[in-house]
Amino acid sequence: MSPAPPRQRPYWTALVLPLALYLIVFLVIPFIHIIVLSFYTYSPTRIWTPELTIANYVGLADASFLTVLLRTLRLGLVSTLICVLFGYPLAYFLARAERRVALIGLFFLVMPLMVSAVIRTFGWLVILGRNGLVNGAITALGLERLPLLYNETAVVIGLANVFVPFMVLPLMASIERINPALEEAARNLGASWLATFRRVILPLSRPGLISGCLLVYSAAISAFVVPMLMGGARVRVIGRQIYDQLLISYQWPNASAIAALLVIATTSLAFFVLALMRRSARQEPDA
Amino acid sequence: MNRQMPALLKPFVMLTYILLLAPLAIVVAVSFGASPTFQFPPTELSLKWYRGFFGNPEFVRAFFSVSLVLGFLAAAMASLLGVTAAIGLVRFRFRGREALEAFFVAPLFIPEILFGAALYLTYARLGIKPSMTSLLLGHVVVCTPFVIRNVMAGLVGLDPRLEEAAMSLGASRIQAFLKVALPLIQSSIISGFIFAFIISFSDINLALFIAGPNSTTLPVYIFNLLLFEGDPSVAAASTLQIVIVGLLIWLVQFLFRPRALL
Amino acid sequence: MALTPTVEEQGSAPELEVRNLVKRFTAQSVVGPLSFGVAAGEFVSLLGPSGCGKTTTLRCIAGFEVPTEGSILLNGLAIEGQPPNRRNIGLVFQNYALFPHLTIFENVAFGLRLRRVGDAQLRQRVGHALELVGLPHLAARYPRQLSGGQQQRIAIARCVVLEPRILLFDEPLSNLDLKLRLAMRRELRELQRRLGKTAVYVTHDQGEALALSDRIVVMSNGRIEQIGSPQEIYERPANAFVADFIGSSNLLDATVVGTDGAATIINAAGLTLRAGVVGHTAGARILAMVRPERIRVAGTDAAAGDNTLNARIREATYLGQDLHLTLRLDGGQELSVVTQGSAARRLVPGEEVVLTVAAADIFLLPK
């Protein structure tokens, strides 16, 4: 009884072809190029040296790079956890709030997300800076200024703040789909609020939680502006490494190898998580 | 429903919002202060940083001649490509349709720094000088998914019987689409356009890599000033950006009720 | 028993004819082959449970589905290859499908504008159509400002204004509440008579089909079970499915014993009964059908030749106008009986009663 699928004429090719071609030229080819380039030989005198080598990858197994890599992954993990901590209650609140409140809440969530990351970081610089809000209060109390900026904590604060909407939006969508009657049923059956959350809401909102974590984590480990402005030279992360090697030291094959590594890491993470979600979606067809 | 929320939820949500909005509020406050040291709270009110912003031709150029123009062009191109692709994806069944959809929204999930690096190296290889056009071509890639998501949501939410009704009243398939479906997804198209504009307007990651010396966007300019300790005219410029983005989001949310934000 | 009259038997050539229509979705999901005709001015319902293929049939006629086999003829001309917009067949949708972005006037004018009807004539025709459904004052409103019943009438006006060759209805009353449904039912029939349009009406509501139709096509599992007038279908169902689907009925397994004048003697559940039909050979296994309202309880008024049965009341449900009884016969068979709720004596479970059934009220069906 469902409406008929439109008749099969290949009109669709004309509709999807322009974008497909566009993305092939401006997205696929650049990524293939960067992977090819990661096998080129670095030479300080010639930019393009198409002698293939794996030296760029082997070179990554060096202590200073591994420090940077581990720091990046760690900062990503901590900021993702903080985003869950702050994002979950917010997502639940928005999903269950009455329509008008939810609209206003959503506005104040999406608006900061859409303002340039530079500007949001700038706000934190003013708050945490030498003459900023926090140090102003501290000196007013007659205490010593604290070095709040240019350390890992500052970077985590910045990352978590910038990316928390990435956590909230998919989570909210996921929680909205959970019938509120389920919560009421759980309460009616004697579950406390916490038990209801743990046994009903959390398992059913898992797809949203997973995709939120995925979005935040991959954004956090490839962040560049926040660590640069809030972490300074001391908190080097992969994004900074790529930027410097590309635009400052011109070690393009090396930068390509790092980028290729990051591409593989984020996409395999995404595929893994999506496969996981698809499997759990099959198990809970009505969720 | 509120009865069931634990007592601590609301205060915690308020705290989250304060943390989320504090940086923006402080930027706005600093822009109206008089102190040159980003003092907060400002001790006196002044518009001098706005005068400073408008008196700096580079700043004005970055804002009006680059970022705004770029945003509109990117949104227009993204809408053209995105709307047609979304129609093709929703209205036709063909093999590989889902994979194609994933491909089209993939730029949402690719870290921008990687895309920026990849595009930068490709341009370098082809000998293309960074310019406004090169940046525009990159922005279109990251803006289009927003158009696609919005338009697809609009089309999927549309009752297919409306077009069938039009056809039973004598409209051809194309007429039915143009006269019935298109007017009804107009708001989705407009909100897709606005989101695309904002994405381009706020972008920093791509612009850092592929903007040329004559196509410094506002975020890049602000970034450079922040690295080298600028004055609060940065705050004035940032406030203008916040206001524009805020107004546009408000417009989308309260006029069009978009179904797909992410 | 010619319970499914063919087109030829109706005399005049049908306006719409569905000939050996087959629509195959998957190997398991097949509609057809179906054949039926609709005479000019006739109101025909396609009635059946959901999934029986009635909507698919209607969509084939409207042109939204392409039949796998067979043909659809309108005034003798095959139309199954024509796109829906060339057929000039009006279709009223279940959810009305009014265009939310257009005013009522523009909704009704939609088809006329496509046909490039001049402004003066367009105004006049839209006005006339709106008057026909009694809503000329709503022309400037938008669909969402109208009630369900009003939207329904506009959906009809939007079709009628184009003077379609036939009108199709896809469960048009199913979204309305009961009272409005009954009122709209009358209005719809009256309108169809006044316009003299041929109509094909899809519904799963037997009451609606009985009340509206000249003839009913009963369908199940993609096949036609019976075609006939409401009376024929109710009084003389072609098989157990129709007997059960239209109204309710008691079906008893029975064997033909012999013939006695104008009646067939049967044996059902250990009882010997007289059924007021002939033409069954002795020994045949059949189904005996009795409508619950044709069974009389505690019949002191039994006429000669009526069947009498002893039964015990198991359950009595009082529904105001009616009293529904479930009874058990001596042989263990259960029977449903509907009797007047205002019956003088109160009937309670456990009570022994005598039932009477006229021979003419027992109908025999093939097994």
Side-chain angles (χ1 to χ4, degrees), chain C residues 166-231:
Chain C
I166 57 174
L167 278 174
L168 307 179
F169 296 90
D170 186 6
E171 310 225 11
L173 304 183
S174 61
N175 287 357
L176 302 176
D177 62 49
L178 181 66
K179 252 194 175 148
L180 197 53
R181 201 151 64 212
L182 296 179
M184 279 304 294
R185 200 191 266 182
R186 262 198 313 278
E187 208 170 299
L188 205 67
R189 184 69 228 243
E190 200 262 329
L191 189 67
Q192 184 260 346
R193 287 226 175 91
R194 194 144 40 102
L195 295 168
K197 288 274 178 239
T198 308
V200 179
Y201 188 98
V202 161
T203 182
H204 64 268
D205 179 336
Q206 37 139 333
E208 215 164 277
L210 291 173
L212 282 167
S213 322
D214 294 316
R215 281 192 307 139
I216 299 174
V217 178
V218 185
M219 296 178 67
S220 84
N221 289 324
R223 282 172 204 290
I224 293 177
E225 299 286 347
Q226 186 173 9
I227 302 179
S229 70
Q231 288 82 357

Side-chain angles (χ1 to χ4, degrees), chain A residues 209-267:
Chain A
L209 186 64
I210 291 172
S211 58
C213 287
L214 177 68
L215 282 170
V216 172
Y217 193 72
S218 54
I221 61 171
S222 52
F224 160 70
V225 170
V226 172
M228 184 127 164
L229 290 176
M230 294 183 75
R234 270 190 287 161
V235 191
R236 266 191 102 75
V237 293
I238 287 190
R240 177 73 187 270
Q241 193 88 358
I242 294 175
Y243 182 83
D244 284 354
Q245 292 195 349
L246 274 184
L247 294 160
I248 294 168
S249 61
Y250 291 93
Q251 291 169 289
W252 289 353
N254 212 1
S256 301
I258 301 176
L261 209 64
L262 210 52
V263 170
I264 292 162
T266 51
T267 48

Side-chain angles (χ1 to χ4, degrees), chain C residues 11 25 51-53 63 126 134 141 152-153 158 169 173 176 183 226 228 237 245 253 260 303 318 321 329 359 363 367:
Chain C
F25 294 100
C52 73
V126 172
R141 302 267 183 94
Q152 178 63 265
R153 284 185 238 178
R158 188 174 68 173
F169 296 90
L173 304 183
L176 302 176
Q226 186 173 9
F245 189 73
D253 287 317
D260 172 20
Y318 177 71
Q321 200 181 352
L329 294 178
F363 187 71
K367 203 162 171 183

Side-chain angles (χ1 to χ4, degrees), chain B residues 15 52 87 90 111 128 178 182 256:
Chain B
L15 174 71
I87 293 168
V90 175
I128 296 168
L178 294 179
L182 206 57
F256 304 129

Side-chain angles (χ1 to χ4, degrees), chain B residues 181-249:
Chain B
L182 206 57
L184 290 173
I185 59 161
Q186 206 177 39
S187 55
S188 304
I189 296 175
I190 294 173
S191 46
F193 181 95
I194 291 176
F195 273 111
F197 171 83
I198 293 170
I199 294 300
S200 162
F201 189 61
S202 294
D203 166 72
I204 169 91
N205 291 317
L206 279 187
L208 277 177
F209 283 97
I210 53 174
N214 292 322
S215 54
T216 305
T217 64
L218 185 68
V220 173
Y221 198 79
I222 294 173
F223 180 79
N224 288 335
L225 285 182
L226 288 180
L227 276 183
F228 306 108
E229 296 271 329
D231 64 44
S233 60
V234 177
S238 302
T239 302
L240 288 177
Q241 221 234 9
I242 293 170
V243 169
I244 290 179
V245 170
L247 281 177
L248 287 174
I249 301 277

